[in-house]
Amino acid sequence: MKVEISREAKLSKIDHLFILAAEKSRDFDLLPALAGSISQAIKDARFEGRSDESITILSDAPRKVTLVGLGKLKSLSIRGVRAAFHTIAKTAKKQRDRNIAVVMPYALPNLGADESVRVLAEYLAGADYKYDAYITVKKDEKRLPLNATLIAPQSLDTKTLRRQQKQAQAIADGVRTVRDLGNAPGNLVTPTFLANRAAAVAKETGVKCTIYRRQAIERMKMGGLLAVNRGSAEEPRFIVLQYTPPRAKKHVALVGKGITFDSGGISIKPADKMEEMKFDMCGAAAVIGTIEAAAKLGLPVKITGVIPSTENLPGGRAYKPGDIITMMSGKTVEIVNTDAEGRMILADALHYASELKPDHIIDYATLTGACVVALGSEAAGLFSNNDELAQKLIECGERVGERLWRLPEWDSYKELIRSEWADMKNSGGRWGGAITAAVFLKEFVNCPSWAHLDIAGTANTEGETPRQARGATGAGVRVTVEFLQSLSR
Ligand code: BES
Ligand code: MN
Ligand code: ZN
């Protein structure tokens, strides 16, 4: 939905006013005109502000006022607010509201009032998101777009509000790009489509985009990407995005796994839930969405996006267990499981990125089921060769509601990917699967400040959650934009 941030609500123009209310700490000073009827309704309904409560009061301007409970103020979290926003968006859609206003009377933890407003506006903008490009019978054909006004604290001046609104929009656009790309089916989003989409985003935002096709990939000797591509009838792509603002002091390379469908290849996956593997390009999408947001924000940081992309399919030409592949870096890999394909394409991309000598490299990948076993969908796995970078990313994530949890990448795990026949194997087996994958990637990184985000559990949800619709979440964009912003402060 379209979101505007304002200090006051034009009550006469609003169909539905939503007020977030925490337990025992209600603050309705913002709206003296309504205070009386609201207090009465709260008493009548015995509304306490618990996170599962909401009451709607009918009045004249606006016609509807809904109080949405947030739970205890001392345990207020971004996640709780997101759930409330999702409820608000669903209610507004169901009731065919066109103009809503949202009052959030409390600042978010760890954030100043201005950033708090930005984070809230950005979440609100995506709260009604649903991927319906292929629904031909739209139940609500005649539904008009939803507009929201987020009521900001009186302490913020108009200039600040305008700036935060613009920033919220830029980040919301980036997140939307990721969700649309992730949710779209694999027969639409092929490596070629992904590259074209990256080029379109680049064109729109003044970013340079170079697309390498098969021949160029062969010339660069990207053995990992070419091996995984062998089973696919779709051509591979290697996409490089370059955002080069004037006076940039730092250079960050962002690398994203772009497997547009992962069947497992010859080591084929079970049929159950295989359709979820269309999301295996969410790392790539996160890189595209982050660069889109960064360029729209005009962040003074040089960013290079690096995306290797292919399908992973079985077939007469597919790479096989037992094959030995020479990677772009010159190292050799014995294939023991063709389903460990993400690390094969990322290895070449990380080597490529290392050669650019950036200050930091961050990669995003729906890399391992093991990471989902360890952390579920609450946090992404974080691996890094640099404590300072790791700590900073965790803090940035905490501020914007994207949790990262650090796991080790100790050299002692290398034993598990030791090969008899080559420099290493592409899988270390079940135990510590997320870690051995990270340790494999590390073999191809030549940069003292590298982080790997395993977003297998956070990139998409298997069903609707209290916080959002089913499907791609946009994981990676918010934390990275926050990190890039912190570099320019
Ligand atoms: N794309 C998958 C990882 C994945 C699994 C993401 C489940 C989201 C949900 C990846 O390519 C993969 O297949 N990994 C294997 C590695 C194994 C063969 C060493 C895995 O996790 O089982
Ligand atoms: Mn796989
Ligand atoms: Zn995969």
Side-chain angles (χ1 to χ4, degrees):
M1 69 183 95
K2 202 164 155 285
V3 176
E4 194 185 308
I5 310 176
S6 165
R7 270 190 310 270
E8 69 244 33
K10 292 182 201 73
L11 293 179
S12 60
K13 297 221 174 84
I14 283 163
D15 308 317
H16 202 156
L17 173 70
F18 292 89
I19 303 174
L20 304 187
E23 267 177 72
K24 300 191 191 75
S25 34
R26 294 178 219 101
D27 177 359
F28 302 120
D29 296 350
L30 288 163
L31 301 152
L34 294 166
S37 54
I38 290 176
S39 317
Q40 192 54 48
I42 286 171
K43 264 191 222 130
D44 294 348
R46 295 209 198 104
F47 176 85
E48 286 174 19
R50 285 194 316 269
S51 57
D52 57 351
E53 275 181 303
S54 78
I55 55 167
T56 298
I57 303 149
L58 299 177
S59 105
D60 4 295
R63 292 200 318 280
K64 293 177 280 185
V65 179
T66 296
L67 297 178
V68 183
L70 270 180
K72 294 206 171 57
L73 193 55
K74 68 173 191 304
S75 48
L76 179 72
S77 67
I78 296 190
R79 310 167 94 71
V81 177
R82 288 190 64 190
F85 279 7
H86 189 49
T87 306
I88 289 172
K90 282 203 296 188
T91 309
K93 264 178 151 178
K94 260 189 226 151
Q95 302 189 359
R96 297 182 186 281
D97 297 324
R98 290 202 45 207
N99 296 296
I100 65 169
V102 178
V103 179
M104 163 65 186
Y106 326 97
L108 291 169
N110 309 323
L111 292 177
D114 49 348
E115 288 169 300
S116 191
V117 158
R118 185 201 81 211
V119 170
L120 291 170
E122 185 260 306
Y123 274 126
L124 190 58
D128 65 335
Y129 176 88
K130 171 115 182 65
Y131 183 76
D132 61 2
Y134 285 90
I135 306 293
T136 61
V137 188
K138 294 207 166 61
K139 268 184 270 161
D140 16 52
E141 200 77 64
K142 285 177 232 103
R143 176 184 295 151
L144 294 154
L146 187 57
N147 299 304
T149 308
L150 177 69
I151 311 298
Q154 303 301 307
S155 60
L156 297 174
D157 60 58
T158 310
K159 223 178 105 201
T160 306
L161 296 187
R162 262 201 226 116
R163 196 178 64 233
Q164 299 300 345
Q165 182 179 314
K166 230 184 117 214
Q167 294 196 0
Q169 191 58 55
I171 301 168
D173 288 352
V175 169
R176 197 192 166 89
T177 295
V178 181
R179 295 178 84 176
D180 281 348
L181 274 171
N183 289 331
N187 57 334
L188 178 69
V189 181
T190 58
T192 305
F193 183 96
L194 190 68
N196 292 344
R197 195 68 238 290
V201 169
K203 190 161 177 222
E204 185 199 335
T205 54
V207 166
K208 188 173 168 212
C209 178
T210 313
I211 298 168
Y212 297 92
R213 297 169 178 237
R214 188 203 299 281
Q215 269 205 346
I217 296 168
E218 282 167 358
R219 272 199 295 274
M220 292 190 284
K221 298 194 164 59
M222 296 189 162
L225 176 56
L226 290 165
V228 177
N229 181 249
R230 289 184 61 91
S232 169
E234 290 287 338
E235 275 218 15
R237 289 287 184 266
F238 189 78
I239 310 161
V240 178
L241 294 162
Q242 286 165 292
Y243 168 63
T244 329
R247 289 182 296 281
K249 285 196 204 77
K250 296 280 183 215
H251 177 198
V252 180
L254 306 176
V255 177
K257 172 178 173 182
I259 295 290
T260 59
F261 184 71
D262 180 13
S263 70
I266 297 293
S267 315
I268 200 160
K269 289 180 182 295
D272 192 39
K273 300 260 173 73
M274 201 201 269
E275 69 274 17
E276 297 271 312
M277 284 300 126
K278 70 171 180 175
F279 293 111
D280 216 17
M281 35 52 69
C282 280
V287 170
I288 297 169
T290 300
I291 292 178
E292 174 180 0
K296 286 184 174 173
L297 291 167
L299 297 185
V301 182
K302 179 176 165 184
I303 309 170
T304 306
V306 181
I307 297 169
S309 181
T310 174
E311 297 176 322
N312 183 26
L313 293 175
R317 291 185 173 280
Y319 81 138
K320 313 173 287 297
D323 286 1
I324 295 179
I325 308 298
T326 301
M327 311 291 276
M328 186 190 194
S329 75
K331 289 189 178 170
T332 57
V333 176
E334 178 198 355
I335 304 305
V336 294
N337 191 324
T338 63
D339 199 9
E341 84 299 339
R343 65 198 74 180
M344 294 297 291
I345 70 167
L346 286 169
D348 287 339
L350 286 166
H351 175 79
Y352 178 96
S354 296
E355 292 202 320
L356 306 173
K357 296 276 165 238
D359 297 290
H360 310 281
I361 299 179
I362 310 175
D363 75 71
Y364 307 81
T366 47
L367 200 62
T368 66
C371 188
V372 193
V373 172
L375 300 172
S377 55
E378 280 302 304
L382 167 68
F383 303 82
S384 181
N385 60 358
N386 186 303
D387 293 346
E388 204 181 310
L389 176 65
Q391 198 46 44
K392 216 162 173 194
L393 285 170
I394 290 169
E395 279 163 22
C396 288
E398 221 46 61
R399 291 154 63 82
V400 297
E402 236 191 300
R403 281 184 166 153
L404 310 179
W405 193 260
R406 194 173 180 188
L407 293 163
E409 30 68 63
W410 299 321
D411 282 340
S412 43
Y413 283 95
K414 261 163 66 175
E415 187 54 35
L416 293 168
I417 53 166
R418 211 175 60 80
S419 164
E420 193 72 35
W421 319 108
D423 294 341
M424 68 196 96
K425 306 191 283 193
N426 79 327
S427 164
R430 265 166 67 93
W431 312 131
I435 301 172
T436 50
V439 167
F440 179 96
L441 294 182
K442 198 180 162 190
E443 289 296 301
F444 299 88
V445 173
N446 183 8
C447 172
S449 182
W450 158 71
H452 156 57
L453 270 62
D454 193 332
I455 56 172
T458 56
N460 63 286
T461 63
E462 280 179 28
E464 184 183 352
T465 74
R467 290 190 290 273
Q468 64 161 60
R470 179 179 172 182
T473 60
V477 176
R478 297 179 178 102
V479 60
T480 311
V481 169
E482 187 71 13
F483 171 72
L484 294 167
Q485 262 174 338
S486 78
L487 288 181
S488 56
R489 270 199 280 268

